[in-house]
Amino acid sequence: MKKITLSATLAAGLAIFAGSASAQVDLDAVLNVEGMDITTRAPAADFLDIDEVISGWVYRTKETQALQMDDFENPGMIFVDIAMDDWNTVDGSEGKSCASCHTDGPAEFAGLRAEMPRWNEEKGSLFNMEDYINLMRVEYMGAEPLKWAKPRMDAMVALISLQSRGDTINVAIDGPVSDIWEQGQELYFTRVGQLDMSCANCHEDSYGLMIRADRLSQGQSNGFPTYRLKNAKLNSIQARFKGCMSNIRAEPYAIGSEEFRALELYVASRGNGLSVEGPSVRN
Amino acid sequence: MAEDSKPRVRVPRSATAGEAFEVKTLISHKMESGQRKDADGNNIPRSIINHFSCDFNGENVMQVTLHGAISTNPYFQFEAVIQESGTFTFTWNDDNGSVYTDSKDITVG
Amino acid sequence: MQLTRRDTLIMGAGVAAVTLLPLPSLAGAWEDAIAAFTEGGEIMDGGIELTAPEIAENGNTVPISVSAPGAVAIAVFAEGNPNPDVVEFQFGPLAGAQSGSTRCRLAGTQNLHAYAKMPDGSIGHTVVSVKVTIGGCGG
């Protein structure tokens, strides 16, 4: 595993500063959503070079944090409502809705988000939530697959993710996914783009510091899909990867590409021990 | 956009006569401010929810005039006080003439 | 026309100066907006509270709350926005308090003003400064 120094990052031109006194991080802030305590700090997995994994929620201002602590304040929940309508809407050649088969409602998927992405034995490939949703739509409903990183898909991912809120992220990295996981790890530490930066430069070497006017987090994916104040909509994990790559002036991989699938697996596994938060609220 | 605007409201199921309680509303709407330009440099015309009203049994609780500076997915929180059981009605008026409504029953015990 | 390095620097400085001044660029629009609400009522400091974050993490969604006991209406104006109008709350007979919260857009670091209209037509006023952070990756 490559280690890259912070000074090299500074030289790359994206300035990272120690935080100003006016906006200190409160590592002991407690995330309680609708009476449920959510784990925002946990011991890091053995394969990581950091001691502790920390949810991105911890690094936001108290106003942004508050938006996630009440399901009514959380604007991401509006899209969960919209997805619930979609859940009950018949679509495709088979005349079925999600509800036609899943008679116990989205709650049938409690726990699923905590293991995503994971190996689908039957299909012989790595599956994330979007893959499962489209598999159901195409094979059982006879409906068109939903486009990834678009509002309808992101809302459905949020609805399914919500069923696992508070569950401990437990993504498998061995067995059939081990090669993909290795590829994801390689990508995480590979410098790309005009600013010549890797994921690790910010999210492993510099979390907690300021990047211009923003507080860097560990770039954990446990809160996705995330309602961002910046674009006032739900954002998928891979759409966020694309945004990060654009920020470092790299040519982003395509959403749904082999690279982003591998990276999603690796990044998800870095959050093992944290809680599912989706839909979370970030800046 | 009209078909995508989905309201959410939170009102307690029951209240005590004469005691104020909290009401929260949220509606999905892009709230295009009229200040943005498209890729060709043309102004994107304003398209917002410009008015919100909360009423109870035909009497007004609060009205809000919204401008382009109100964030996407407009949120309001305010307080109401009632004397008898009845129905809250919530009305959002869109620049395009659409009207979105929601209602909630409440019992005064 | 060929731009020298010096010309470019001067032009850049001009742009920077304009960008850094959070003053209402259209003073007329600002006064008109306030006057439309106050309707000539006597303006006094106080009688109204405006709560906003000292530092807003994103100018797109800034939570604000206003409260003015006894007011018939409260309006909020943003000094540094292209259009100063933000929101106006009008309280009906069933309002449990003369208060309200919403989320607004701020174009940059600036002052937010809140005015409360009292039943006698007089106006309460307060101002709060909000720093808006711009230029980050979003965590």
Side-chain angles (χ1 to χ4, degrees):
Chain A
M1 202 180 297
K2 278 180 273 183
K3 292 297 288 180
I4 294 126
T5 62
L6 181 56
S7 59
T9 306
L10 289 165
L14 202 51
I16 299 176
F17 305 103
S20 65
S22 56
Q24 288 299 340
V25 174
D26 177 10
L27 284 171
D28 295 324
V30 174
L31 172 55
N32 181 291
V33 185
E34 303 284 324
M36 177 197 281
D37 272 340
I38 306 269
T39 304
T40 54
R41 294 168 68 189
D46 293 340
F47 61 83
L48 292 178
D49 278 349
I50 52 179
D51 296 331
E52 189 179 32
V53 288
I54 305 171
S55 164
W57 179 84
V58 170
Y59 294 102
R60 305 284 46 98
T61 62
K62 65 181 196 304
E63 289 85 5
T64 308
Q65 289 182 341
L67 291 178
Q68 199 185 317
M69 297 175 81
D70 175 332
D71 277 346
F72 201 90
E73 305 273 330
N74 181 344
M77 295 302 287
I78 215 169
F79 303 99
V80 170
D81 282 359
I82 289 169
M84 199 60 220
D85 291 345
D86 210 1
W87 174 273
N88 290 310
T89 304
V90 171
D91 196 1
S93 59
E94 303 304 304
K96 288 179 180 170
S97 68
C98 305
S100 308
C101 296
H102 300 287
T103 50
D104 289 337
E108 284 186 19
F109 296 111
L112 180 65
R113 172 63 176 85
E115 298 177 1
M116 289 286 106
R118 71 177 183 191
W119 186 253
N120 182 327
E121 194 61 54
E122 194 187 323
K123 297 291 170 190
S125 63
L126 180 70
F127 259 52
N128 68 4
M129 200 71 90
E130 285 90 339
D131 288 315
Y132 275 109
I133 290 165
N134 276 341
L135 177 72
M136 296 297 139
R137 287 183 57 81
V138 172
E139 293 199 1
Y140 295 92
M141 295 167 68
E144 289 293 313
L146 297 179
K147 284 210 171 75
W148 288 28
K150 294 290 180 192
R152 213 173 149 199
M153 175 62 96
D154 293 342
M156 190 55 77
V157 175
L159 172 64
I160 309 292
S161 298
L162 179 66
Q163 312 309 318
S164 310
R165 187 163 66 187
D167 291 357
T168 305
I169 300 277
N170 184 22
V171 173
I173 65 172
D174 50 7
V177 301
S178 61
D179 288 350
I180 304 174
W181 184 83
E182 293 282 352
Q183 185 195 354
Q185 180 177 246
E186 182 68 27
L187 285 164
Y188 192 88
F189 290 97
T190 302
R191 290 162 165 276
V192 289
Q194 288 181 324
L195 297 188
D196 196 30
M197 292 171 75
S198 72
C199 307
N201 289 152
C202 286
H203 299 298
E204 180 165 298
D205 303 337
S206 312
Y207 63 85
L209 303 182
M210 301 297 283
I211 184 155
R212 299 186 65 194
D214 261 342
R215 180 78 63 182
L216 275 171
S217 74
Q218 288 186 349
Q220 296 287 357
S221 63
N222 61 307
F224 282 81
T226 286
Y227 184 91
R228 293 190 66 192
L229 305 182
K230 172 189 169 139
N231 54 20
K233 65 182 182 84
L234 289 177
N235 294 257
S236 70
I237 295 169
Q238 295 198 13
R240 191 66 180 92
F241 290 164
K242 198 176 161 187
C244 273
M245 290 191 78
S246 300
N247 284 343
I248 57 167
R249 297 178 196 166
E251 189 72 49
Y253 299 112
I255 285 172
S257 64
E258 192 192 317
E259 289 87 352
F260 272 175
R261 286 171 177 276
L263 190 59
E264 179 176 345
L265 172 64
Y266 175 72
V267 170
S269 76
R270 289 179 69 94
N272 277 348
L274 292 173
S275 292
V276 174
E277 290 178 27
S280 65
V281 183
R282 303 285 189 261
N283 62 318
Chain B
M1 189 67 205
E3 64 278 15
D4 295 329
S5 283
K6 187 171 177 66
R8 297 185 93 203
V9 299
R10 181 184 277 183
V11 176
R13 281 198 191 83
S14 61
T16 305
E19 266 184 35
F21 54 87
E22 196 175 69
V23 177
K24 293 180 179 182
T25 73
L26 189 70
I27 187 166
S28 62
H29 196 284
K30 62 181 188 281
M31 294 295 282
E32 187 61 58
S33 68
Q35 303 293 341
R36 300 198 309 155
K37 288 182 166 43
D38 65 19
D40 299 325
N42 304 312
N43 278 323
I44 303 173
R46 187 183 104 152
S47 175
I48 68 169
I49 287 172
N50 55 52
H51 191 263
F52 165 77
S53 181
C54 170
D55 300 272
F56 178 79
N57 288 355
E59 245 190 309
N60 184 249
V61 178
M62 191 177 73
Q63 297 186 66
V64 184
T65 305
L66 293 76
H67 298 278
I70 293 298
S71 303
T72 304
N73 308 324
Y75 165 89
F76 295 113
Q77 180 190 326
F78 50 93
E79 288 187 25
V81 60
I82 56 175
Q83 303 299 333
E84 77 279 350
S85 300
T87 305
F88 277 100
T89 56
F90 303 90
T91 312
W92 291 261
N93 297 90
D94 195 306
D95 272 351
N96 68 13
S98 301
V99 179
Y100 319 110
T101 59
D102 201 353
S103 62
K104 281 276 188 249
D105 293 335
I106 184 167
T107 308
V108 168
Chain C
M1 169 184 151
Q2 194 168 7
L3 288 178
T4 64
R5 203 172 115 91
R6 186 180 156 79
D7 286 339
T8 312
L9 283 172
I10 290 167
M11 283 164 59
V15 170
V18 170
T19 317
L20 287 171
L21 282 177
L23 296 171
S25 51
L26 302 163
W30 173 258
E31 281 153 14
D32 290 351
I34 309 285
F37 178 75
T38 59
E39 296 175 309
E42 189 191 349
I43 299 174
M44 293 165 296
D45 277 338
I48 177 164
E49 268 186 53
L50 168 60
T51 310
E54 187 187 345
I55 299 172
E57 200 156 35
N58 194 293
N60 239 347
T61 313
V62 182
I64 55 168
S65 299
V66 287
S67 174
V72 295
I74 298 176
V76 178
F77 302 92
E79 254 184 36
N81 277 8
N83 176 350
D85 289 303
V86 176
V87 70
E88 180 179 334
F89 298 99
Q90 293 138 348
F91 303 103
L94 298 187
Q98 285 69 45
S99 65
S101 302
T102 188
R103 298 165 185 161
C104 72
R105 296 167 171 150
L106 298 179
T109 294
Q110 57 177 290
N111 289 328
L112 269 181
H113 294 254
Y115 292 86
K117 189 181 291 177
M118 305 311 287
D120 65 0
S122 69
I123 305 290
H125 170 244
T126 189
V127 58
V128 165
S129 172
V130 182
K131 291 189 183 76
V132 176
T133 59
I134 294 173
C137 302

